[in-house]
Amino acid sequence: MDGDGGSASGGGRWYTGMSSDNIKGLVLAISSSLFIGASFIIKKKGLKKAASSSGGVRAGVGGYSYLYEPLWWVGMITMVVGEVANFVAYAFAPAILVTPLGALSIIISAVLAHVMLREKLHIFGVLGCVLCVVGSTTIVLHAPQERQIESVIEVWDLATEPAFMCYVAVVLAIVAVLVFKFVPLYGQTHVMVYIGVCSLVGSISVMSVKALGIALKLTFSGTNQLIYPQTWAFTMVVISCIITQMNYLNKALDTFNTAVVSPIYYTMFTSLTILASVIMFKDWDRQNPTQIVTEMCGFVTIFSGTFLLHKTKDMADGLSNSSSFRLPTISSARSFKQTDEYSEGVPLRSSDSFRSLH
């Protein structure tokens, strides 16, 4: 028996390092990224097809002809499947493992855009993809074990502990100040205002999604959690947070360039989600300092890759304007129109928001 234990801790170290629940969550998170990344490309092809049809009006100028395009709906269904997989992943694995893996969807969409849409992928974009993969692998191999929970009441007890209640109170206070004071004054000029609201509310929504996912997992396994009011309380929090989050994220994307919004939002959202998970589920209590530092290094690596991907996408779009005869994309048009004002070639504001100011 000692021999078997020794072999398990030696040759099978990877399996002892990841529980079966963590592996399920990992598979679901990667599947989610595959579906969501592919959905962006499918929907974009659907939008292009709808715009090229007779009488089609582009979505960017207020048209809705894409709603009659089957390919767009295929992309939407693909995205829904990905979001469901992401939701279920939180029921099996800690947020520290699941949330950073969302960067893989960026890689999928970048690669598919290069293959299917003939969008140029800059060499530094390839480096960004590699950095995302390396960072994700680092986090996966050092992620903490999922906390064993037998009832949604346990999750409620964790959520109502003083430390997490203080975090929620601080988040709500900051969000209230941002929404009622800073959004009217600086929402159209400072990207951090909208993204701050999205990220802060998003960290609470992920904790509630995880709680709801655990409740549903236990219910499907035979222990009904729907009889507890705490389950429905978490459901209401999820709905409220997601509506708020999507509202201000759409405002940010409509006002500012995607190449600016995406890396900042990913960094803030992931950072605050990890902080909320550490406070509520005490993920780091089950890890040593080396594992924690390694996870943080993995996150920084993913952020660097994400930033490179979005930065070099605009670089590639800018090059395509000057060196090819292809029709310009929306993002390249933004870069071309505003290069004089932003010498780096990545405009802070979207062209639509510039037009709305005049």
Side-chain angles (χ1 to χ4, degrees):
M1 183 170 295
D2 291 340
D4 293 341
S7 62
S9 61
R13 187 176 178 181
W14 189 84
Y15 295 99
T16 60
M18 291 191 69
S19 65
S20 60
D21 278 353
N22 272 24
I23 294 174
K24 292 175 184 176
L26 170 63
V27 172
L28 286 166
I30 293 176
S31 301
S32 170
S33 294
L34 289 172
F35 280 109
I36 293 175
S39 73
F40 291 142
I41 306 306
I42 298 172
K43 287 198 297 181
K44 188 167 184 176
K45 287 183 72 70
L47 289 171
K48 286 186 173 183
K49 187 175 179 181
S52 63
S53 62
S54 58
V57 181
R58 295 183 66 89
V61 293
Y64 295 97
S65 58
Y66 61 87
L67 294 177
Y68 300 97
E69 174 55 50
L71 189 60
W72 184 87
W73 282 107
V74 171
M76 179 59 68
I77 293 172
T78 305
M79 175 170 280
V80 170
V81 172
E83 293 294 350
V84 170
N86 190 59
F87 173 84
V88 178
Y90 280 110
F92 289 97
I96 290 179
L97 172 61
V98 177
T99 304
L101 291 180
L104 296 180
S105 64
I106 302 174
I107 298 177
I108 301 301
S109 61
V111 173
L112 290 180
H114 178 71
V115 174
M116 299 177 63
L117 301 178
R118 299 290 185 259
E119 294 183 359
K120 186 175 180 180
L121 184 60
H122 195 276
I123 183 63
F124 287 111
V126 177
L127 176 60
C129 292
V130 173
L131 287 174
C132 287
V133 172
V134 171
S136 299
T137 304
T138 302
I139 291 176
V140 166
L141 295 179
H142 295 86
Q145 301 291 347
E146 173 68 344
R147 189 188 187 103
Q148 295 300 316
I149 295 177
E150 303 297 332
S151 171
V152 72
I153 303 298
E154 293 183 38
V155 186
W156 183 263
D157 291 340
L158 293 172
T160 53
E161 286 188 356
F164 189 71
M165 292 300 293
C166 287
Y167 174 80
V168 172
V170 170
V171 165
L172 294 179
I174 296 175
V175 168
V177 171
L178 288 174
V179 170
F180 295 109
K181 184 174 182 179
F182 287 92
V183 165
L185 296 175
Y186 307 109
Q188 296 294 312
T189 56
H190 291 73
V191 67
M192 294 298 291
V193 177
Y194 288 144
I195 294 180
V197 175
C198 295
S199 302
L200 288 164
V201 174
S203 67
I204 297 178
S205 73
V206 169
M207 296 303 101
S208 302
V209 163
K210 184 170 179 61
L212 184 58
I214 291 173
L216 292 176
K217 181 181 74 170
L218 293 172
T219 299
F220 290 135
S221 65
T223 307
N224 187 10
Q225 302 295 306
L226 302 181
I227 61 175
Y228 298 111
Q230 288 86 346
T231 301
W232 299 105
F234 282 125
T235 302
M236 294 304 298
V237 173
V238 168
I239 295 173
S240 302
C241 288
I242 289 179
I243 291 175
T244 304
Q245 191 178 353
M246 289 299 98
N247 178 39
Y248 284 96
L249 181 58
N250 286 333
K251 288 176 185 281
L253 292 172
D254 185 58
T255 307
F256 304 98
N257 193 294
T258 305
V260 176
V261 172
S262 296
I264 297 176
Y265 175 61
Y266 172 81
T267 304
M268 288 190 64
F269 172 70
T270 306
S271 300
L272 290 169
T273 298
I274 290 175
L275 176 61
S277 181
V278 167
I279 295 173
M280 179 172 169
F281 290 97
K282 302 176 177 60
D283 293 325
W284 284 350
D285 288 356
R286 304 185 296 279
Q287 293 187 288
N288 58 49
T290 302
Q291 290 175 305
I292 295 172
V293 172
T294 304
E295 286 174 4
M296 292 300 97
C297 290
F299 168 63
V300 172
T301 304
I302 293 176
F303 164 67
S304 302
T306 304
F307 178 81
L308 271 178
L309 271 172
H310 284 282
K311 185 74 172 177
T312 55
K313 183 180 185 301
D314 269 34
M315 289 170 58
D317 289 340
L319 289 173
S320 68
N321 274 333
S322 59
S323 61
S324 72
F325 295 97
R326 292 184 305 164
L327 291 175
T329 61
I330 296 174
S331 59
S332 64
R334 290 172 180 167
S335 300
F336 178 78
K337 290 179 182 179
Q338 301 164 17
T339 299
D340 292 339
E341 185 171 356
Y342 299 96
S343 59
E344 291 182 338
V346 183
L348 176 64
R349 301 174 65 81
S350 68
S351 57
D352 290 340
S353 65
F354 273 102
R355 287 197 297 269
S356 66
L357 293 176
H358 297 289

